[in-house]
């Protein structure tokens, strides 16, 4: 185990990052420009009582590859203002293939009041494990904010190895992992060797990851079932295994329907039918076709998680 001056219990992790966290889409208006008001409205909607206690902005689902640094900064500012004072944690995605760019985004996010940073493994260049580690350490050194590492090799082209996690965990600000690798054995070993707080970054594996020691979720489906993710986490924490399994199985159709197409497009289609801000996605993503949207909404409605009736403004 590492010997850091911090406590990686579920309670302490929740106090730093939240426990049920949604990776929020970035709303755009009819012209494809950033919908500043929509950002605020959606953030408030996602963090209503019993739902999410953390929001990731400028992540994959937030279409971070197609938003400018200025737009990213505006999103952090708007979300922080919208949920400020509620205890909701605002976690800014600052991933990039260029370490200097990530550092610049981290410093900017900190200046706008972000509570923590989400840092994905550097993509495209496929650096060595030493390069990945130095990337993480440089970003962690650049601000006083706690850092959650994001392991998703199917997107980045590189996996973060257990030894790299162990070395990164020696840095006092690197405190958590968003795990979307799908390697439960590997994750188990990292949790055994370090006190990094693990969050499921793959909705279909939310319960399996809890069973090996994860403390919460960074979810996409939290846009539509955040309350049931809260129930799942609470049941598991209380040892109500059968009830947790029931919720997991109840949510399986939701996981499949949302991820049948790129998640940002699916979520925005689900938001639109509820009169919530989202708008279209930016190229190279494309909006769902009418047929795809119909299937998605039918799946969500038949599962009891979506009403075709518009919601009240927040």
């Amino acid at each position: 185990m590492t010997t850091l001056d911090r406590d990686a219990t579920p309670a302490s992790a929740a106090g730093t990052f939240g426990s049920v966290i949604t990776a929020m889409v970035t709303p755009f208006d009819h012209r494809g420009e950033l919908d500043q008001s929509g950002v605020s409205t959606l953030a408030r909607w996602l963090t209503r009582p019993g739902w999410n206690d953390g929001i990731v902005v400028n992540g994959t689902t937030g279409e971070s590859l197609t938003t400018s640094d200025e737009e990213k900064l505006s999103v952090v500012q708007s979300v922080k203002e919208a949920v400020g004072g509620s205890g909701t944690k605002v976690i800014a995605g600052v991933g990039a293939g260029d370490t200097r760019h990530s550092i610049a985004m981290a410093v900017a996010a900190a200046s706008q009041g972000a509570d923590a940073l989400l840092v994905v493994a550097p993509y495209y260049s496929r650096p060595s494990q030493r390069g990945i580690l130095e990337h993480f350490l440089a970003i962690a050194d650049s601000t006083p904010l706690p850092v959650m590492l994001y392991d998703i090799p199917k997107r980045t082209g590189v996996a973060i190895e257990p030894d790299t996690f162990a070395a990164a965990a020696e840095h006092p600000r690197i405190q958590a992992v968003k795990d979307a690798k799908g390697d439960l054995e590997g994750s188990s070993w990292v949790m055994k060797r370090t006190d990094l707080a693990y969050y499921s970054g793959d909705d279909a594996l939310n319960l399996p990851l809890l069973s090996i020691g994860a403390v919460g979720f960074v979810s996409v489906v939290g846009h539509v079932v955040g309350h049931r993710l809260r129930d799942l986490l609470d049941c598991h924490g209380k040892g109500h295994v059968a009830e947790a399994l029931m919720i997991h199985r109840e949510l399986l159709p939701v996981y499949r329907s949302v991820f049948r197409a790129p998640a940002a497009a699916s979520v925005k289609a689900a938001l639109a039918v509820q009169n919530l801000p989202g708008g279209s996605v930016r190229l190279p993503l494309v909006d769902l076709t009418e047929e795809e949207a119909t299937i998605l909404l039918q799946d969500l409605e038949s599962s009891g998680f979506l009403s075709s009736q518009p919601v009240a403004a927040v």
Side-chain angles (χ1 to χ4, degrees):
M1 294 286 289
T2 54
T3 56
L4 302 181
D5 184 22
R6 65 174 187 252
D7 176 12
T9 64
S12 67
T16 300
F17 300 98
S19 53
V20 179
I21 306 164
T22 283
M24 194 179 89
V25 298
T26 301
F28 301 128
D29 62 22
H30 67 281
R31 300 169 300 170
E33 300 299 322
L34 182 65
D35 179 0
Q36 205 78 53
S37 175
V39 169
S40 300
T41 296
L42 185 57
R44 288 192 294 268
W45 172 255
L46 291 174
T47 57
R48 62 201 190 276
W51 281 60
N52 299 280
D53 55 4
I55 294 178
V56 166
V57 297
N58 302 327
T60 305
T61 311
E63 301 178 72
S64 59
L65 289 179
T66 66
T67 57
S68 68
D69 287 359
E70 292 75 17
E71 287 174 323
K72 289 180 175 66
L73 197 59
S74 293
V75 170
V76 174
Q77 182 180 35
S78 294
V79 172
K80 186 64 179 179
E81 289 176 354
V83 303
S86 68
T88 299
K89 302 302 179 181
V90 179
I91 305 166
V94 296
D98 170 12
T99 305
R100 291 178 300 176
H101 190 191
S102 281
I103 288 173
M105 289 193 293
V107 171
S111 75
Q112 294 302 318
D115 297 294
L117 304 174
L118 179 67
V119 183
V120 73
Y123 41 79
Y124 190 74
S125 60
R126 300 183 67 185
S128 66
Q129 292 297 306
R130 184 164 65 89
I132 293 171
L133 176 62
E134 292 297 328
H135 175 81
F136 290 151
L137 296 179
I139 297 166
D141 282 340
S142 69
T143 82
L145 298 180
V147 172
M148 179 185 292
L149 304 181
Y150 185 12
D151 192 15
I152 184 165
K154 64 185 177 183
R155 289 189 182 274
T156 63
V158 292
I160 307 170
E161 298 296 337
D163 286 348
T164 305
F165 275 123
E170 296 294 335
H171 194 294
R173 285 189 288 279
I174 297 178
Q175 299 178 15
V177 177
K178 177 184 177 183
D179 183 9
K181 186 185 289 181
D183 176 9
L184 295 176
E185 180 183 4
S187 299
S188 296
W189 277 106
V190 175
M191 284 184 256
K192 176 180 173 64
R193 293 177 61 189
T194 77
D195 57 3
L196 291 169
Y198 259 65
Y199 287 78
S200 172
D202 184 344
D203 277 308
L205 294 182
N206 285 344
L207 180 58
L209 275 161
L210 286 181
S211 74
I212 62 169
V215 300
F217 320 121
V218 180
S219 172
V220 173
V221 302
H223 285 90
V224 291
V225 294
H227 59 310
R228 291 303 276 162
L229 295 181
R230 171 77 52 199
D231 293 340
L232 173 61
L233 185 64
D234 289 347
C235 286
H236 184 272
K238 293 174 182 176
H240 299 165
V241 177
E243 189 172 352
L245 180 58
M246 179 191 72
I247 296 171
H248 169 71
R249 290 174 175 171
E250 172 188 287
L251 292 174
L252 285 174
V254 179
Y255 301 153
R256 176 167 291 182
S257 62
V258 169
F259 290 100
R260 189 179 289 120
S266 296
V267 168
K268 288 189 172 186
L271 294 174
V273 77
Q274 298 179 91
N275 201 32
L276 287 165
S280 294
V281 292
R282 286 179 175 172
L283 287 170
L285 296 183
V286 293
D287 294 330
L288 299 190
T289 64
E290 184 176 346
E291 179 181 4
E292 289 170 334
T294 297
I295 293 171
L296 168 71
L297 300 178
Q298 287 175 344
D299 286 347
L300 295 178
E301 288 177 8
S302 65
S303 300
F305 292 117
L306 189 67
S307 169
S308 58
Q309 299 299 314
V311 300
V314 179

